[in-house]
Amino acid sequence: MDSVETYFPGSSTGSHVGGELLSGTGQAVDLVDPTTGQVLTTYADGGADVVDAAVAAATEGARRWQQMTASARGQALWQLGQEVRAEAEPLAHLEATVAGKPLRDAGAEVAKVAEMFEYYAGWADKQHGEVIPVPTSHLNYTIREPYGVIAQITPWNAPVFTGGWQIAPALAAGNAVVIKPSESTPLSTVVLARLAERAGVPAGAVNVIAGLGPTAGARLVTHPGVNKVVFVGSPATGRRIAAAAAAELIPCVLELGGKSANIVFADANISRAVGGAAAAIFSGAGQSCVAGSRLLVQRQAYAEVVERLAELADRITVGPPLSESTQVGPLQNKPQLERVRQMVGAAAQAGARAVTKSTAMPAHGYFYRPTVLADVTNSDAIAQQEVFGPVVAAIPFEDEDEAIALANDTRFGLAGAVWTGGVERAHRVARGIRAGTVWVNSYKTINVMSPFGGFADSGFGRSSGTDGLAEYTQAKSVWVETDDEAPLAFGY
Ligand code: NAD
């Protein structure tokens, strides 16, 4: 492969299909630098033709990938982890430039991507079926088979991380993928595809579409050559995609948004809880599906927690992602910045009080200061709708029952956390929160080894760990008659 620098915004922007760069023929799409608001480059939407070519390439890619032994596939995936490590610096630089992520966060995410390939490399030759003691004279066994071609659609908030997160288990299970990252952040996923080929994954096993949702994405998720869809993005798009795929009887996994409750009891280590609350909502400029966007604080500690969090927020350095001192970068795109402004403005009109004061940030680009809103009630729009920005709504509660009730009073169910000094309470509340991930005296730790996914409007199906791997295979049951005089069955 050429050096990663080749994939910096420029003439090479396009889709990666069957090992080749394929230019689109659709409408022009601007790739905009979130730090400056300037256009980095313009590429043509990979519309129907590119999608059809990618699915055809993936069909052939799956065949070639499955011809390799499971161990050889594992070795290629392990090598892919090493390729990602070897290119970590330019890859993080690319991600920081296009997604607007502070360089150190981008570097940490690239390291996680390497881990994902290394973890699933180990699973490639360890997916066995079972022998089932059926009550007949048959030998009955199961095989975990890959689906074939997987369509994956990902958002702009963590493109390389989300790409690795879904490509790794799909490949480990023996599938090929056609992945469509967000139109505003396609490049780092193209790099992953190129690195996969450098590691020994056959061309066609990983294809990347640089294109728009309503054109390329919509065609991909209902394509007759696609066997499963895995979508990471907003609930509104997820609903549309699941409905479209269902009409074609294509199964889906949906990893959607959240409005996670971060619950602080008065008996918690308040310093840790405040630091954790800041990381929960401000890292990544709040553009995280698991962001701790509702801060529920027991009334005795409410004033102190809100004040200390606001002080901490006001000290955060908001700046260009490539600067060493930056802690929070820009939002990734202008519509998102406008949405955050609009939601905070509406919250203020509804009675929320902004406790944060600092206005220090670059004059240009899509920057937004970390914001703490107090005097919010849980039924307010700012506490019910996903902001996807560095804005936390602080809500007081009286006791454990009320904390759990407020945490669950949302359509979402992605994550939550509890900060307390009481071990019994920690487990009770962890069990009481209706969400796919709960942290105790911690926030936002996730790892490829542990399952991740949503309850309710946060989606269905799981990613990561063995649960995530299982989404990429289906069981086949094989019945072998061992008695040639056994009666032949006419019914079940
Ligand atoms: P989005 O739903 O607008 O877009 C996500 C992807 O869907 C993009 O690639 C887009 O091009 C594509 N798309 C749009 N319309 C489509 C269509 N009709 N058919 C097929 N594809 C289509 O989401 P976004 O604004 O990019 O990302 C933010 C959202 O993603 C937030 O809600 C966030 O919580 C969620 N998210 C969830 C997770 C998770 O793991 N649960 C992780 C990251 C982000």
Side-chain angles (χ1 to χ4, degrees):
M1 162 183 146
D2 315 311
S3 73
V4 170
E5 278 82 357
T6 315
Y7 297 91
F8 273 64
S11 57
S12 61
T13 306
S15 299
H16 181 80
V17 173
E20 306 286 337
L21 178 78
L22 198 56
S23 296
T25 52
Q27 73 177 79
V29 183
D30 286 338
L31 213 56
V32 178
D33 182 347
T35 307
T36 61
Q38 303 296 310
V39 175
L40 288 165
T41 191
T42 301
Y43 67 94
D45 177 25
D49 294 350
V50 174
V51 171
D52 291 353
V55 174
T59 305
E60 174 59 15
R63 197 186 61 76
R64 294 175 62 196
W65 185 229
Q66 287 163 20
Q67 273 175 347
M68 292 168 61
T69 63
S71 303
R73 288 200 294 269
Q75 279 158 14
L77 288 178
W78 179 267
Q79 184 56 34
L80 175 47
Q82 308 321 295
E83 300 293 347
V84 171
R85 290 191 189 282
E87 299 288 357
E89 217 174 293
L91 193 46
H93 198 274
L94 176 64
E95 191 79 338
T97 305
V98 180
K101 246 171 211 296
L103 200 49
R104 57 178 157 178
D105 295 356
E109 290 184 10
V110 169
K112 290 260 182 196
V113 170
E115 249 180 48
M116 291 163 185
F117 287 111
E118 290 161 359
Y119 171 77
Y120 279 115
W123 277 114
D125 59 2
K126 294 171 192 67
Q127 299 166 79
H128 341 115
E130 298 174 307
V131 176
I132 298 170
V134 291
T136 63
S137 49
H138 296 87
L139 166 66
N140 176 245
Y141 64 91
T142 59
I143 308 173
R144 303 287 327 175
E145 292 199 346
Y147 278 88
V149 176
I150 309 285
Q152 299 173 335
I153 309 261
T154 56
W156 42 256
N157 63 315
V160 78
F161 180 92
T162 317
W165 190 42
Q166 296 303 335
I167 293 170
L171 289 180
N175 301 283
V177 307
V178 179
I179 178 166
K180 195 205 80 63
S182 167
E183 51 277 17
S184 60
T185 55
L187 298 176
S188 54
T189 312
V190 172
V191 173
L192 286 186
R194 296 301 307 266
L195 292 176
E197 283 152 31
R198 185 153 93 183
V201 176
V206 183
N207 306 277
V208 186
I209 311 272
L212 298 167
T215 52
R219 182 162 184 106
L220 178 61
V221 298
T222 53
H223 197 289
V226 164
N227 306 109
K228 188 159 186 175
V229 171
V230 176
F231 172 74
V232 186
S234 66
T237 309
R239 207 171 245 119
R240 206 171 301 134
I241 286 177
E248 305 302 323
L249 293 179
I250 302 175
C252 268
V253 169
L254 299 181
E255 296 282 3
L256 308 177
K259 195 73 201 177
S260 300
N262 191 13
I263 306 172
V264 180
F265 283 91
D267 67 358
N269 176 334
I270 297 295
S271 297
R272 293 274 302 170
V274 168
I281 185 63
F282 302 135
S283 65
Q287 300 165 111
S288 162
C289 53
V290 293
S293 51
R294 286 186 299 149
L295 180 63
L296 310 185
V297 189
Q298 199 161 22
R299 193 164 308 267
Q300 305 92 290
Y302 183 79
E304 181 190 355
V305 167
V306 168
E307 190 184 326
R308 289 176 65 176
L309 179 61
E311 277 168 15
L312 200 56
D314 279 341
R315 288 204 305 273
I316 287 175
T317 305
V318 176
L322 296 179
S323 161
E324 290 281 323
S325 59
T326 290
Q327 293 170 291
V328 168
L331 299 182
Q332 202 280 324
N333 55 72
K334 196 171 178 195
Q336 187 58 25
L337 175 64
E338 282 165 359
R339 178 178 158 82
V340 174
R341 284 181 177 151
Q342 183 274 323
M343 288 185 77
V344 173
Q349 285 201 331
R353 175 171 56 90
V355 195
T356 29
K357 302 272 180 289
S358 173
T359 54
M361 61 181 171
H364 302 290
Y366 307 144
F367 293 93
Y368 198 87
R369 279 286 328 167
T371 300
V372 178
L373 298 176
D375 302 344
V376 174
T377 54
N378 198 57
S379 55
D380 292 346
I382 197 75
Q384 289 293 321
Q385 294 168 12
E386 189 177 34
V387 179
F388 222 55
V391 178
V392 62
I395 301 166
F397 69 84
E398 301 298 335
D399 57 19
E400 198 176 304
D401 285 348
E402 192 189 4
I404 293 171
L406 287 172
N408 293 340
D409 181 15
T410 166
R411 291 183 65 89
F412 293 107
L414 193 58
V418 50
W419 298 82
T420 176
V423 69
E424 302 89 347
R425 165 177 282 164
H427 289 288
R428 274 196 308 272
V429 177
R431 184 168 287 222
I433 296 175
R434 182 182 45 99
T437 297
V438 179
W439 294 282
V440 175
N441 294 334
S442 181
Y443 205 98
K444 229 177 171 178
T445 320
I446 60 170
N447 189 277
V448 65
M449 297 182 188
S450 184
F452 181 90
F455 289 15
D457 280 13
S458 293
F460 46 75
R462 289 293 176 269
S463 298
S464 293
T466 51
D467 297 74
L469 187 61
E471 298 284 2
Y472 284 107
T473 64
Q474 49 194 343
K476 175 182 279 179
S477 175
V478 181
W479 295 77
V480 184
E481 181 55 87
T482 62
D483 178 358
D484 59 10
E485 290 180 5
L488 291 168
F490 272 79
Y492 297 123

